[in-house]
Structure formats: structure tokens, C-alpha cells
Amino acid sequence: MSGTSPMPSLPQGGIVGLDATRMMAAIRDRHISCREVMEAHLDRIALVNGRVNAIVSLRDRGELLTEADAADADLRRGLWRGPMHGLPHAVKDLAPTRGLRTTFGSPIFADHVPNEDALFVERLRAAGAILIGKTNVSEFGLGSHSYNPVWGTTLNAYDPALSAGGSSGGAAVATALRMVPMADGSDFAGSLRNPAGWNGIFGFRPSQGRIPSLPGPEGYLQQLATDGPMARTIADLALLLSVMSGPDPRAPLSLAEPGLAAELPPGRAEGARIGWLGDFVGALPLEDGIVPLSQAGLSALEAAGCRIDEARLGISRDEIWACWLVWRHVLVGSRYRPLYDDLIKREQIKPELIWEIEGSLGLSADDLYRASMTRTRLYQRFLALFADFDALALPSAQVFPFAQAKPWPTIIAGTSMDTYHRWMEVVVPATLSGCPTICLPLGPWAPDGRSSGLQLIGRPGQDRALLCIASAFEEVSRPSERLPS
């Protein structure tokens, strides 16, 4: 190792056991080199990825070490590229990456190599990250179980017999097993939240417009999906969020405020009021153990200084779900309609996407307007609750990780699921609200060792305040200490 002062003692696991923020400080102080960091992570991938299938499109080791050497050379010249200088990073396989294979988990795009980056990927590169490959997803991001005909299935970090969740399953598992320091994910129907909980890490869905989605042909309706960070610690989550966030004039609904700063004040939650949305939870079919697990998470928040009270959402489950189906059909179905109209390509897309597209065909402008009215009422109801609460709490999933060979749960607590995503209905209110939402990992706390999470929904635009509450939870719960080896 290089450097002018002694390297602080490494945690168990060596370099890959460092938090990203500590790793970056060690690189900047030249206690460790970018080459050493890259070698350590590539060795870790070689050791564990074969059993979980989280990293795909992995680049050549020699090329990556050459890029790491160039990052070290810049440091010797006094050039600091940014807050991710030399860090290895794998991008979710739904985000375009210039010159790097991007399949969306679809055989239609199995050999697709984009000629431009997604906006947040541009920002990762500008911050000094070295892209090593991609993380596995569900096909086109549909369904909260990361399997597809191109790469196969990503397996749970705790138990490879179980699902990793999705669609950011590869990102969650790669982060939990220390194959990457942290990862980007994306979230429409819990795709950041569910896999984070199931694999024991934090997943953050930022406020609507915090991380603009570019490039894209439509910039006004596509508000329900967002990119966001996943990490083993809140400090790392804030670091990656600071790189990914910020306005862009090409995205008309991006938040005008600058990207969030990486540094957070010490986690303080004394007196923070948390509302448990028990009326909505009680209306949902839930696997045995989900509510007690959530209550354990609430107890950890109480130990961190929060006050927990019941909160009533005040809008029925059926109204919310009907609204959701319209928005989901319109946004997903319309986006992928060209694939459906091509009969050859239609044969290669999964039934769930065909269902979304065909569901959009009979919708009218009036249907969308009424769904927008319901969404507006829901948002106003959230605002009313935030007059009394600093955050609102729900489980991050209605079930624990299920057998990885199963496409999706068809029955929960004796109730049949009438769509491929009904089993994730608990994430819908937060998505529709556009409010920042974090998954707090609770596991493996279930009696059988499975993990899940607790959603905390914060006030619109108050991402940092929500992260501060999560940081206080982290100090009490210390979830990174329970990650699998």
C-alpha cells in the first residue's frame, strides 16, 4: 500500500469491507490505491458472483486495472476527479451506458450497446467512478423479482434459494455482498425498496424530480419512476445521492435546487413523530410475520428517539389501486407499445409487459384525468398527515423472500393476487405521492432468518431530513453488521 501515513486498520474482509466514504478518504489520502481497490472488488466478484448472479456484462479485468492505474496517476499529479475517484461501480441494466452492453433483461436488446449515457451515469463518470459492468434486473424492470431470459435469475444475498427482489435485485445483492461499494437502482413499484429490504441494505427513492430521468422521449408524464442510490450505510447513500442528484434544463420537471450535499449532520431523531399507516396495512393481505417485523423496526426508531403513533391514510385501498393501474398502464404500456406493434418483437416480450400494453389500449383521456384526480387527493392527504408527522411508515413488502424459481407470489394469506404486481401493493402510495421514501433494512430478524424492510415516507422535497431520521435508526440498529459474509 502507498501513502505517507499509516493506513487505519482494515475491517474484516479487507478493502471491500470498508464503507464507500471511508474508502474514498483512504484513496484521497493515498493510504490505498485505486488499483488495490479495483483488484479487491474484482477478486470479490470472482469469489461470490457465481453463486448469486448479481453482476452482468463484467468488463475485462486488464482494462479495468488500466483505468484504475490512470486514476492513481491523476492523484499523483494532484488531480482529484471527484467524490467517486477510482471507485468501481456497476450500473443497473435498465440505464443506458455508453459503450457498455445494456440489455434491459430482454432478448430484443441482448446485444444492445448504447452510444450515450443516462444522465446520472454521466454524473457518475464525472465524479470519478469506473464502470465495471451492469447489475441484473427483471425484464424491462417489470415485477419485483430479478430474472430474465438474457442473464437468468439473481439470488438472495442471505439465501440463494430465495428471490433477491427487483427490479434492482442485482444492485442490492452486489452491494450487500460487497462486490461494489454502493449501487444505483431505480424504483417505480418498489424496485429500490423491496430488494433493499430483502438483502439487508438501504434503498432510497428520492423526491420526484430530484434525479432527472434522461435521455427519454417524454418529459412530463413519466414521473412515477426514478433512479436512486442503494448502500450499506446512510453516509454512503448520501454520498451517491449527492452525485446523482441535481437539475437539468432538458428535464422540465426536475427540481430546481442544486444536488444535495454528501455530508449529513449526526443522526438525530429525538422527538421525530412517525405515523404508522395501520389502516392501509390492515387492508392488505400480508404474510405472517411482516407486521411483527415492522413493529420491531418501529421499536428501533423509538429507541432512536422517535415517537410512534397511528396514522390513517383516509383513502381506500381500492381507490388507490384503481388509480395506480391507470397510471401504470399508461406509462408502461405507451412506452413499450412500439415493441408490441412489431409482431416479431412481441413474441419476445414477457406476458406481464403484454398485459400492461393491452391494458393501456382501451384507456381514455378521461380515465387518466380521473386517475390524476385520485392521485392529487392522495397527495393532499399526505400533506395533511405531515402537519402532524415527520415521516410515515409502512412495510416495504407484503411477503418475505420467496423461492427463486417462482415468478411471483400468486396467493398471500389466502388471497389470490389478480396481477403480477398486486403482491407489492404496499409500495404504491409512496410512489404516487412523489415523496422521498427510504427502506430501512430489518433483518435477518424473521424467525426463519429472512429479511425485509420498513418504508419511511418523508415530506415532499425533504430528502435530507428523512436521511437524518434513517441515520439515527442506523446508529441503533446497525444493519451493516448483519450482512452476509
Side-chain angles (χ1 to χ4, degrees):
M1 292 186 181
S2 58
T4 57
S5 59
M7 169 68 189
S9 60
L10 289 173
Q12 185 177 9
I15 287 174
V16 298
L18 289 170
D19 299 339
T21 48
R22 288 186 62 203
M23 198 179 298
M24 287 309 309
I27 289 173
R28 188 163 196 169
D29 293 339
R30 298 181 61 189
H31 291 308
I32 56 176
S33 68
C34 298
R35 171 178 269 265
E36 288 168 328
V37 168
M38 182 63 71
E39 285 179 326
H41 284 91
L42 293 178
D43 289 347
R44 179 68 176 169
I45 290 168
L47 179 66
V48 302
N49 193 52
R51 76 170 188 252
V52 292
N53 192 36
I55 302 283
V56 298
S57 294
L58 183 64
R59 294 178 57 207
D60 176 75
R61 183 183 182 98
E63 291 180 359
L64 291 171
L65 291 177
T66 297
E67 291 187 20
D69 288 341
D72 284 324
D74 281 347
L75 275 180
R76 288 193 294 271
R77 291 192 296 268
L79 176 61
W80 178 248
R81 296 180 181 179
M84 295 180 70
H85 186 114
L87 277 195
H89 189 93
V91 175
K92 186 175 177 179
D93 202 24
L94 297 184
T97 44
R98 173 176 43 84
L100 181 57
R101 187 178 177 194
T102 302
T103 75
F104 313 106
S106 166
I108 298 170
F109 295 97
D111 299 313
H112 173 58
V113 179
N115 56 17
E116 64 178 334
D117 285 327
L119 174 61
F120 82 83
V121 177
E122 288 180 12
R123 291 173 170 175
L124 293 174
R125 292 190 200 263
I130 299 175
L131 303 192
I132 64 170
K134 307 302 285 280
T135 55
N136 200 28
V137 297
S138 50
E139 186 178 344
F140 291 114
L142 300 183
S144 200
H145 179 26
S146 295
Y147 70 96
N148 63 71
V150 180
W151 300 112
T153 304
T154 296
L155 310 179
N156 190 277
Y158 289 103
D159 184 347
L162 303 177
S163 169
S167 59
S168 307
V173 172
T175 303
L177 292 179
R178 303 172 187 85
M179 288 185 270
V180 289
M182 48 194 177
D184 62 271
S186 59
D187 189 294
F188 191 145
S191 289
L192 275 160
R193 292 164 277 169
N194 180 43
W198 281 8
N199 295 283
I201 66 169
F202 294 97
F204 187 64
R205 177 189 167 93
S207 289
Q208 178 180 306
R210 176 75 65 200
I211 300 175
S213 295
L214 291 170
E218 194 284 310
Y220 286 97
L221 285 177
Q222 294 285 352
Q223 308 163 18
L224 298 187
T226 180
D227 299 300
M230 308 180 83
R232 297 185 293 268
T233 71
I234 293 297
D236 291 356
L237 201 74
L239 169 63
L240 186 52
L241 180 63
S242 73
V243 172
M244 298 174 71
S245 65
D248 190 286
R250 297 169 293 174
L253 299 182
S254 60
L255 294 179
E257 58 193 81
L260 296 179
E263 295 78 17
L264 286 173
R268 292 191 181 92
E270 287 293 333
R273 300 159 298 172
I274 309 296
W276 169 246
L277 291 173
D279 64 329
F280 185 73
V281 173
L284 299 173
L286 301 168
E287 185 176 349
D288 286 346
I290 289 292
V291 169
L293 187 71
S294 297
Q295 290 169 341
L298 293 173
S299 295
L301 285 166
E302 278 189 311
C306 298
R307 191 176 76 227
I308 314 297
D309 291 301
E310 288 282 334
R312 299 189 62 81
L313 193 54
I315 296 182
S316 75
R317 170 196 176 196
D318 289 343
E319 287 180 278
I320 294 170
W321 187 250
C323 164
W324 163 261
L325 286 181
V326 172
W327 276 104
R328 179 80 168 183
H329 283 331
V330 167
L331 298 181
V332 174
S334 299
R335 178 178 182 181
Y336 293 110
R337 174 74 180 275
L339 300 181
Y340 180 87
D341 290 340
D342 183 320
L343 296 182
I344 294 175
K345 291 179 179 177
R346 186 190 301 183
E347 293 179 355
Q348 299 179 73
I349 59 180
K350 65 192 294 185
E352 292 86 347
L353 180 53
I354 291 175
W355 179 81
E356 294 283 10
I357 295 168
E358 292 182 344
S360 73
L361 299 180
L363 293 175
S364 67
D366 191 51
D367 292 324
L368 181 58
Y369 186 79
R370 287 199 303 271
S372 188
M373 289 175 62
T374 301
R375 186 181 174 198
T376 302
R377 273 201 304 121
L378 177 64
Y379 178 74
Q380 291 168 344
R381 182 58 192 149
F382 270 95
L383 291 184
L385 287 171
F386 285 132
D388 297 317
F389 297 104
D390 298 292
L392 303 169
L394 288 166
S396 63
Q398 290 162 241
V399 298
F400 290 103
F402 50 84
Q404 56 92 0
K406 180 188 293 188
W408 43 276
T410 55
I411 298 177
I412 302 177
T415 300
S416 295
M417 300 292 100
D418 55 0
T419 75
Y420 74 96
H421 52 7
R422 191 72 185 253
W423 63 279
M424 285 297 296
E425 190 174 357
V426 72
V427 305
V428 168
T431 293
L432 291 173
S433 76
C435 293
T437 308
I438 191 166
C439 174
L440 306 179
L442 307 177
W445 287 356
D448 60 4
R450 290 181 294 173
S451 177
S452 195
L454 183 73
Q455 295 180 85
L456 276 192
I457 307 166
R459 293 188 176 99
Q462 298 300 308
D463 302 52
R464 285 178 63 81
L466 184 61
L467 290 176
C468 287
I469 294 174
S471 180
F473 165 88
E474 180 184 27
E475 288 185 10
V476 169
S477 178
R478 310 184 81 82
S480 65
E481 296 178 0
R482 298 189 299 276
L483 287 171
S485 58

